[in-house]
Amino acid sequence: MGTNRGGSSSSSSFGRPSFCCKMFPAKPSSPSSFTIIRLFVLLILFIFIFNFYSRAILEDEENLNLRLSSQDSVAQQLPQQLPSEKLWEAPFSAGLHSCVNPTSRYQAFQEGDHYITVRSNGGLNQMRTGIADMIAVSRMMNATLVIPELDRRSFWQDKSIFSDIFDEDHFIDSLKHDVRIIKKLPPELLSVPRARKHFTSWAGLGYYEEMTKLWADYQACSFRTLLCLPSTVIHVAKSDSRLANNDLPLDIQRLRCRALYHALIFSPSIETFGKKLVERLRSHGGRYISLHLRYEKDMLAFSGCTYGLSSAESEELRLLRENTNHWKVKKINSTEQRISGLCPLTPKEVGIFIQALGYPQSTVVYIAAGEIYGGKAHLSELTSRFPNVVFKEMIATEEELEIYSNHASQTAALDYIISLESDVFMPTHSGNMARALEGHRRFLGHRKTVSPDRKGLVDIFDKLESGQLKEGLTLQQLVKHLHEKRQGAPRKREGAPDGIKGRARYKAEESRVHKDLPITVIM
């Protein structure tokens, strides 16, 4: 069986490929063979042509991608303009509004025979907040307040009296249900010795209730009569920061707000001229930014910030700081100050910042500040980006401004009015004017106030300087993201940092009104 299967056979054999003879017979080629060869050649030619054109198409696509990539790169460098309404509109207020009327528990002021005299210290806004605090102090101590004496010894050397800057009659009348205010001490008290007191900083209600003992404890003695009688007058040497920010009775907080935003209005002449300047500004470009550019000699010297200045300028500022007795800190590391976000933005940094927020080059920028240190040399770094930079001298005549010369506080009052009425207020440093205006603008309905995150911006500016970052879309996105919640909208206030205890925590807390008060005013 196996032998028969394994023997020779005419049909097949494992020993030779018999199929070869069937595929390639020994007879001459037929016409169909030439057809197959031609088809084979055409197929090879088609493959060659296909590869050639495919390579060309791929190269074209690569070139197109490179062009698109290049266009995207250029687009990354071009600033994008936001819709106009987004640039200028006030932030969402979440329904919060000012609420400063007295509660039902508030009692009318009871007149007594005790008086407080005050010497306000500092610049305009430092004096304003201090005076508002002394209104509350007078109320808590049940005393009559004599119109405060303004600071004449500060850096600005302004000789203005209260009525030169504020509407004195309005101030007295608007607070008549809260505290008694008089213009001068009664004649019979002018020669009476006063209890001179430097009230503790950041003090609360309990402290001032304790201070009422001064009326009985302090004895005013007369060598002529040899009599010692309880003093009826307390003189307060300083007005700033005499009252705690927080944890005060609700009605005392509301009184502070009424004093600051209702009673302390500027004199009629300043109010009228300030509003006139606002009208002139709007006639130039409609909307405008008020920029509180704190790039002034005293500010830079006090803070020790010399970034971008020459060696000669830095030395000039150091000498000013050394020779100003009431500035206690003399040696300051400028680099550390800047990294910590404690330095005002430079004009160049401000220009980059405003542009990155999306404001067009045509934007009108009003400079609410004194003389810019370095003059045009430094200011040109801002005007090269925003040529419509405006100063008071450009919208007022010399004759109009003459009466304000050598009166820095009155000039600051004009800047305050223009900044309060601006579409956008932008401070470059968190000083007294910045805080006062931010609070006032919140009080009036959360008007747009852009507060630069100076510490965050330093890192961005340094990357621009080193070439790690270029101006354009990426820069815009970084700056806008950093300032999404710094536009003047309602927000929670910050408490004292961890680790701060005792009275120091009151100073470290952000200013705010009572937690139960539906208002977001920063005092």
Side-chain angles (χ1 to χ4, degrees):
M1 182 173 176
T3 305
N4 290 339
R5 287 189 174 183
S8 299
S9 169
S10 60
S11 59
S12 64
S13 172
F14 290 106
R16 56 184 177 89
S18 56
F19 64 88
C20 290
C21 296
K22 294 181 179 178
M23 289 189 68
F24 298 101
K27 60 183 181 179
S29 299
S30 65
S32 60
S33 299
F34 289 107
T35 302
I36 293 172
I37 293 171
R38 283 197 298 272
L39 289 174
F40 183 73
V41 172
L42 289 173
L43 178 61
I44 293 174
L45 182 61
F46 174 76
I47 292 172
F48 174 78
I49 295 172
F50 177 79
N51 286 336
F52 176 80
Y53 281 104
S54 294
R55 188 179 299 111
I57 292 171
L58 288 173
E59 288 176 354
D60 288 342
E61 288 182 350
E62 288 177 359
N63 290 334
L64 177 61
N65 289 334
L66 285 173
R67 288 196 299 272
L68 291 174
S69 176
S70 176
Q71 291 172 0
D72 289 341
S73 178
V74 171
Q76 291 283 330
Q77 305 305 319
L78 295 175
Q80 290 189 342
Q81 301 298 330
L82 289 175
S84 179
E85 62 274 9
K86 291 294 182 183
L87 287 170
W88 301 101
E89 69 182 7
F92 179 58
S93 65
L96 295 176
H97 59 279
S98 58
C99 182
V100 297
N101 293 328
T103 68
S104 60
R105 300 184 298 275
Y106 192 68
Q107 296 179 354
F109 175 73
Q110 302 296 319
E111 272 193 40
D113 58 355
H114 301 139
Y115 298 83
I116 290 179
T117 61
V118 182
R119 191 187 73 82
S120 297
N121 60 297
L124 173 68
N125 292 287
Q126 188 173 345
M127 289 192 293
R128 287 181 73 250
T129 54
I131 291 169
D133 280 1
M134 293 313 300
I135 289 292
V137 168
S138 298
R139 168 78 190 194
M140 289 187 288
M141 294 187 66
N142 195 36
T144 296
L145 178 69
V146 180
I147 287 290
E149 175 190 350
L150 302 188
D151 191 347
R152 300 184 180 187
R153 296 181 293 176
S154 65
F155 177 85
W156 299 276
Q157 299 290 310
D158 190 344
K159 304 300 182 182
S160 299
I161 63 174
F162 190 95
S163 59
D164 291 331
I165 301 175
F166 304 108
D167 188 332
E168 193 172 63
D169 291 332
H170 173 83
F171 179 68
I172 294 171
D173 186 65
S174 64
L175 294 170
K176 63 184 179 183
H177 299 298
D178 301 295
V179 62
R180 181 179 176 225
I181 305 172
I182 58 176
K183 295 182 180 181
K184 295 180 180 180
L185 273 174
E188 64 272 17
L189 295 177
L190 292 177
S191 59
V192 172
R194 306 176 192 180
R196 297 185 180 274
K197 182 66 178 176
H198 190 126
F199 286 143
T200 300
S201 300
W202 317 106
L205 176 62
Y207 172 85
Y208 286 106
E209 288 178 337
E210 185 71 19
M211 285 298 102
T212 57
K213 294 181 179 179
L214 285 172
W215 304 125
D217 293 347
Y218 185 84
Q219 299 291 310
C221 300
S222 171
F223 292 103
R224 186 177 61 183
T225 63
L226 300 179
L227 293 175
C228 293
L229 301 173
S231 177
T232 57
V233 182
I234 292 177
H235 178 70
V236 182
K238 295 180 70 175
S239 64
D240 69 321
S241 307
R242 299 306 103 185
L243 195 58
N245 287 326
N246 311 304
D247 299 324
L248 292 170
L250 177 59
D251 274 315
I252 293 299
Q253 291 287 38
R254 293 190 177 188
L255 174 57
R256 295 172 85 183
C257 287
R258 289 198 299 278
L260 193 57
Y261 301 130
H262 287 175
L264 269 176
I265 65 173
F266 296 115
S267 66
S269 61
I270 291 177
E271 282 283 341
T272 300
F273 187 47
K275 296 292 177 62
K276 185 180 293 185
L277 294 181
V278 170
E279 292 175 1
R280 292 176 186 175
L281 260 176
R282 295 208 181 281
S283 68
H284 277 72
R287 292 167 167 169
Y288 68 94
I289 293 174
S290 178
L291 177 67
H292 189 215
L293 186 59
R294 287 295 273 128
Y295 206 72
E296 299 152 317
K297 187 175 183 178
D298 67 302
M299 181 69 231
L300 297 177
F302 175 78
S303 62
C305 296
T306 59
Y307 174 77
L309 298 179
S310 67
S311 299
E313 290 172 327
S314 299
E315 179 63 12
E316 181 184 25
L317 297 179
R318 186 191 67 80
L319 291 174
L320 175 59
R321 186 169 65 253
E322 286 284 342
N323 296 323
T324 305
N325 294 330
H326 61 275
W327 291 351
K328 303 303 181 184
V329 181
K330 302 299 182 182
K331 294 184 178 180
I332 301 176
N333 186 311
S334 179
T335 301
E336 290 180 0
Q337 284 282 96
R338 183 170 178 270
I339 292 173
S340 299
L342 300 176
C343 290
L345 300 183
T346 69
K348 179 180 179 180
E349 290 170 340
V350 170
I352 296 172
F353 176 63
I354 298 177
Q355 195 171 65
L357 288 174
Y359 289 93
Q361 190 179 30
S362 59
T363 300
V364 174
V365 180
Y366 175 77
I367 303 297
E371 184 178 352
I372 303 304
Y373 187 59
K376 292 183 179 179
H378 290 307
L379 192 63
S380 63
E381 297 176 326
L382 170 61
T383 56
S384 62
R385 294 172 183 269
F386 292 93
N388 292 328
V389 167
V390 179
F391 290 86
K392 281 185 291 295
E393 293 76 11
M394 299 168 66
I395 53 174
T397 65
E398 290 184 10
E399 292 75 19
E400 288 174 322
L401 293 176
E402 185 177 1
I403 62 173
Y404 299 99
S405 61
N406 301 319
H407 294 291
S409 292
Q410 295 184 46
T411 303
L414 295 175
D415 282 335
Y416 191 97
I417 294 170
I418 295 171
S419 297
L420 187 64
E421 298 298 327
S422 65
D423 299 278
V424 178
F425 174 62
M426 191 179 298
T428 62
H429 192 266
S430 56
N432 291 308
M433 182 170 177
R435 290 194 294 269
L437 272 164
E438 182 182 1
H440 205 158
R441 290 172 69 86
R442 287 178 183 274
F443 183 83
L444 294 175
H446 299 279
R447 295 177 179 178
K448 190 162 190 174
T449 303
V450 181
S451 302
D453 183 341
R454 297 189 305 280
K455 187 174 182 179
L457 286 171
V458 164
D459 183 57
I460 293 175
F461 294 144
D462 285 347
K463 287 180 178 177
L464 281 173
E465 190 73 23
S466 65
Q468 299 178 57
L469 180 66
K470 295 182 181 296
E471 292 189 47
L473 183 58
T474 301
L475 173 64
Q476 281 191 332
Q477 291 171 340
L478 288 172
V479 171
K480 289 174 184 175
H481 177 72
L482 193 62
H483 294 85
E484 284 177 348
K485 297 182 179 180
R486 303 179 70 92
Q487 309 277 326
R491 58 178 172 80
K492 291 184 178 180
R493 281 164 175 72
E494 299 176 0
D498 295 338
I500 298 181
K501 298 180 180 180
R503 188 173 298 278
R505 75 181 186 275
Y506 294 122
K507 181 178 181 180
E509 287 179 334
E510 185 179 6
S511 302
R512 61 186 174 188
V513 294
H514 194 280
K515 63 182 179 180
D516 296 328
L517 184 61
I519 186 175
T520 53
V521 173
I522 294 180
M523 297 295 292

